[in-house]
Amino acid sequence: YSQIAACKLFDVPDIAFFETFEGVMRAVRDGFCEFGVLPIENSTAGSVNAVYDLLAQFDFHIVRSLRLKIDHNLLVKPGTKLADVREVYSHGQAIAQCAGFIESHDLHATKYPNTAMSAEMVANSERTDVAAIASRSCATLYGLEVLEPNIQDSDNNYTRFVVIGREPRVYPGANRTSLMITTANEPGALYRVLERFYALNINLIKLESRPIPGRDFEFMFYFDLDCPFGSKALDDLLDSIDDVCESFTYFGSYTEVL
């Protein structure tokens, strides 16, 4: 799915593939790739927390995002019947998005680094009781059959992918901004941040909390704001937000492609 997203986000991308999210981050950090494309949020399974944590760890920036419709398929070797399947392999997010199908067919789900590798593993396996949850394009790539199409729990299943880079880049029309904010561990700390958004008439479209590494039961917050880049409201916020928090990180302003 990341490949599909990359092809929609870039006209003629030269794509390199990595097994893990961190592998993508390292490739961008080391200059092997100019940009990385990673899933960051799903409408059914929620946020991909590992990507948020890596953004903070590598101090990277979001330069664009895409909302992609995700249709999961049960892929098997040719001739395999549903009654034969005992175990399914896929990425943890895909497994979560297809939990209803997996449970209703009494299948054992095993997490794998990504959906494409799951399809490859099934294609190369000598077992006849395994299947992969992946995109239809993986069936063509690895010589598998689509045994059951569209097995996700919700037909309204979308994943947001982000383009990440080492340096901030803002393109015309950028109207979404992502921030990470750390507040003091005291009553009213988060309220003061939210009050600042309200005072500047900035619409908050996402709020996510994540534990602060090395600090017990203390949290940092990720915010997505609906506010045009270059507007007075956003400029005033970035100039003054440190008055009401311990620290903040500006991840970037960008446009979301639908």
Side-chain angles (χ1 to χ4, degrees):
Y1 298 103
S2 294
Q3 179 182 359
I4 295 171
C7 291
K8 288 180 176 290
L9 285 159
F10 297 93
D11 290 336
V12 188
D14 180 12
I15 304 175
F17 300 92
F18 299 88
E19 295 183 1
T20 64
F21 297 151
E22 187 168 356
V24 175
M25 293 284 189
R26 288 176 175 172
V28 175
R29 179 197 63 190
D30 297 340
F32 184 81
C33 297
E34 186 174 3
F35 299 108
V37 177
L38 294 168
I40 199 166
E41 181 182 8
N42 177 262
S43 57
T44 302
S47 296
V48 185
N49 292 324
V51 174
Y52 277 108
D53 292 344
L54 287 167
L55 273 172
Q57 177 184 332
F58 282 79
D59 193 24
F60 280 171
H61 300 273
I62 300 173
V63 299
R64 186 165 291 175
S65 71
L66 167 75
R67 191 174 67 174
L68 181 69
K69 177 74 162 58
I70 301 294
D71 293 317
H72 289 302
N73 305 273
L74 190 70
L75 307 185
V76 296
K77 288 183 176 180
T80 303
K81 297 179 175 57
L82 185 57
D84 301 329
V85 179
R86 293 288 178 267
E87 187 170 13
V88 293
Y89 289 81
S90 198
H91 187 269
Q93 281 276 327
I95 290 172
Q97 293 162 29
C98 302
F101 179 89
I102 293 169
E103 182 178 356
S104 66
H105 291 84
D106 195 25
L107 302 175
H108 176 72
T110 299
K111 293 181 180 180
Y112 223 63
N114 60 54
T115 54
M117 290 180 64
S118 303
E120 182 183 33
M121 187 280 298
V122 169
N124 294 332
S125 174
E126 296 182 358
R127 293 173 58 184
T128 59
D129 63 343
V130 292
I133 297 174
S135 67
R136 186 176 289 271
S137 61
C138 283
T140 303
L141 182 63
Y142 295 112
L144 300 174
E145 287 184 351
V146 177
L147 184 60
E148 294 284 340
N150 303 327
I151 64 171
Q152 64 274 5
D153 294 343
S154 172
D155 191 49
N156 188 37
N157 188 34
Y158 290 85
T159 292
R160 283 185 63 224
F161 290 84
V162 291
V163 179
I164 55 98
R166 287 175 295 175
E167 304 296 332
R169 297 193 186 189
V170 181
Y171 296 97
N175 58 3
R176 185 167 183 149
T177 293
S178 293
L179 303 173
M180 180 184 72
I181 294 177
T182 302
T183 62
N185 186 17
E186 61 186 30
L190 179 59
Y191 169 80
R192 287 192 289 273
V193 174
L194 298 175
E195 185 182 42
R196 185 61 53 89
F197 296 151
Y198 174 74
L200 293 170
N201 198 31
I202 293 176
N203 186 31
L204 176 63
I205 52 179
K206 181 177 176 63
L207 168 58
E208 183 91 13
S209 64
R210 294 291 295 145
I212 300 175
R215 293 165 64 175
D216 292 341
F217 302 105
E218 294 189 40
F219 298 87
M220 51 191 169
F221 300 92
Y222 294 100
F223 296 90
D224 281 357
L225 311 176
D226 180 14
C227 189
F229 179 78
S231 65
K232 186 177 186 305
L234 183 60
D235 289 345
D236 288 348
L237 176 71
L238 297 178
D239 286 341
S240 65
I241 193 66
D242 53 1
D243 295 341
V244 291
C245 66
E246 285 191 348
S247 63
F248 81 96
T249 300
Y250 170 72
F251 282 134
S253 297
Y254 51 94
T255 302
E256 181 157 297
V257 180
L258 301 178

